[in-house]
Amino acid sequence: MQRKTLTQFLVEQQRREAALPGQLRLLIEIVARTCKAISISVNKGALGGMLGDMGAENVQGEAQKKLDVIANERLLEANEWGGHLAAMASEEMETIHLIPNRYPKGEYLLMFDPIDGSSNVDVNLTVGTIFSVLRAPEDVSGRAVTEEDFLQSGRHQVAAGYAIYGPQTLLVLSVGTGVYEFGLDRETGSWVMTQERIRIPEGNREFAINMSNQRFWAPAVQRYVGECMDGKDGPREANFNMRWTGSMVADIHRILKRGGIFLYPWDSRDPKKPGKLRLMYEANPMGFIVEQAGGKAFDGPHRILDIAPTGLHQRVGVIMGDRAEVDRVIDYHREAVDA
Ligand code: AHM
Ligand code: MG
């Protein structure tokens, strides 16, 4: 394949397919550039003083890692001045971040999980950055942006993507015209396209779930995973493989490339938390990517991108990947309700 940079791709999208607005193109370029800087910090590890905890908790009550804070700051600073954003929100901040008055404001709302899978950082395993872009409501130019402006369902996303900091640093992106992957060429400093129009390979017998939560799952998920575990002798008449990296970005990336299904389903551990993963920073952007790659993303009975959000930090059950496998889990949920 001829080497095509992210900038070339975005210019093409701007001119042709998606008629990508200039502000959105700038936004994506800035997020992508910031992910390069985050990648460098992730790579430095202990040598750059990047490992360990901050000694504080985020709004979710989770211990913040130094890299969570560094990556969050980088994304905020980089996106403040360009005139493309109305406001930002992050998994690491309690409330929304307004654009300072000294800068012009733009049309878009940016949400991110600065370091996804951050418990992997200290043990040198894969982490990522997830982002989601919505259009701000039209009347926002004449007033202050509020949290409610962000509470749009995921089908309204105009772009979403993630950077994955693994053996290679990659950027996976969709502006609603399929899913594209770019590799970071460290010699030239450019994002170079490595795969276009990614489709999730169908029929891979591989599931990703944290088995240690099994006793808390709903009957439909118990049934689905139980049948996978029964292998060739069970109703699926096939042996399944299991993978769990502790980083959603890494697990979903594997599914985009190799197929299979990812589940962090609703569980009964804590009635206040209907799941672990966050709708706005994780489930919606990853659901957008998975659907754009031909897969499906449900919370159990409902399509994730149709959920009307009620809070910035809302959590949901997540079941996404190979559409036939997700359909099966949806059917099991419906059958469990009918029974
Ligand atoms: P984080 O954004 O605080 O890192 O949490 C999200 C991560 C996901 O990347 C991953 O799928 C999940 O948490 C792993 O959770 P667990 O440790 O319960 O298996
Ligand atoms: Mg996360």
Side-chain angles (χ1 to χ4, degrees), residues 78-262:
N79 282 287
E80 275 185 338
W81 52 269
H84 52 290
L85 286 185
M88 292 179 253
S90 160
E91 186 182 302
E92 299 300 331
M93 299 185 304
E94 188 161 358
T95 186
I96 61 171
H97 181 91
L98 298 174
I99 301 301
N101 282 333
R102 61 185 181 278
Y103 299 123
K105 285 167 202 62
E107 287 172 31
Y108 294 99
L109 301 171
L110 173 65
M111 284 153 287
F112 44 82
D113 177 358
I115 298 285
D116 176 63
S118 40
S119 68
N120 276 2
V121 163
D122 291 350
V123 292
N124 194 22
L125 292 174
T126 297
V127 292
T129 299
I130 310 175
F131 67 95
S132 158
V133 186
L134 291 167
R135 219 184 292 276
E138 276 181 8
D139 67 333
V140 96
S141 55
R143 61 167 175 86
V145 180
T146 65
E147 206 167 296
E148 281 65 44
D149 295 324
F150 283 81
L151 303 182
Q152 307 176 33
S153 47
R155 64 172 183 274
H156 297 300
Q157 290 170 106
V158 292
Y162 61 84
I164 175 165
Y165 315 113
Q168 306 124 42
T169 288
L170 304 174
L171 180 76
V172 173
L173 171 71
S174 180
V175 292
T177 57
V179 180
Y180 293 81
E181 182 198 78
F182 302 85
L184 178 58
D185 179 340
R186 289 185 191 273
E187 279 152 36
T188 60
S190 300
W191 291 108
V192 179
M193 191 183 284
T194 43
Q195 197 178 340
E196 53 187 341
R197 297 196 183 275
I198 297 177
R199 303 294 294 176
I200 295 175
E202 288 173 13
N204 184 20
R205 303 274 182 243
E206 201 160 59
F207 65 97
I209 195 163
N210 183 338
M211 285 296 293
S212 70
N213 298 325
Q214 181 170 17
R215 66 194 180 284
F216 303 114
W217 299 337
V221 175
Q222 298 279 3
R223 177 178 169 197
Y224 176 78
V225 175
E227 290 180 359
C228 294
M229 301 286 281
D230 289 341
K232 258 197 158 1
D233 304 327
R236 303 296 306 271
E237 297 175 349
N239 291 328
F240 279 73
N241 189 24
M242 196 203 85
R243 286 284 183 276
W244 187 250
T245 66
S247 158
M248 185 191 200
V249 165
D251 283 316
I252 296 297
H253 190 70
R254 183 189 61 254
I255 287 168
L256 282 189
K257 305 309 287 261
R258 191 161 88 183
I261 182 170
F262 171 92

Side-chain angles (χ1 to χ4, degrees), residues 9 13 19 25 32 48 60 62 74 76 108 158 180 184 228 261 268 313 317:
F9 166 76
Q13 292 282 310
R25 185 186 134 199
Q60 331 273 343
E62 297 157 346
R74 290 230 166 98
L76 292 178
Y108 294 99
V158 292
Y180 293 81
L184 178 58
C228 294
I261 182 170
S268 63
H313 298 291

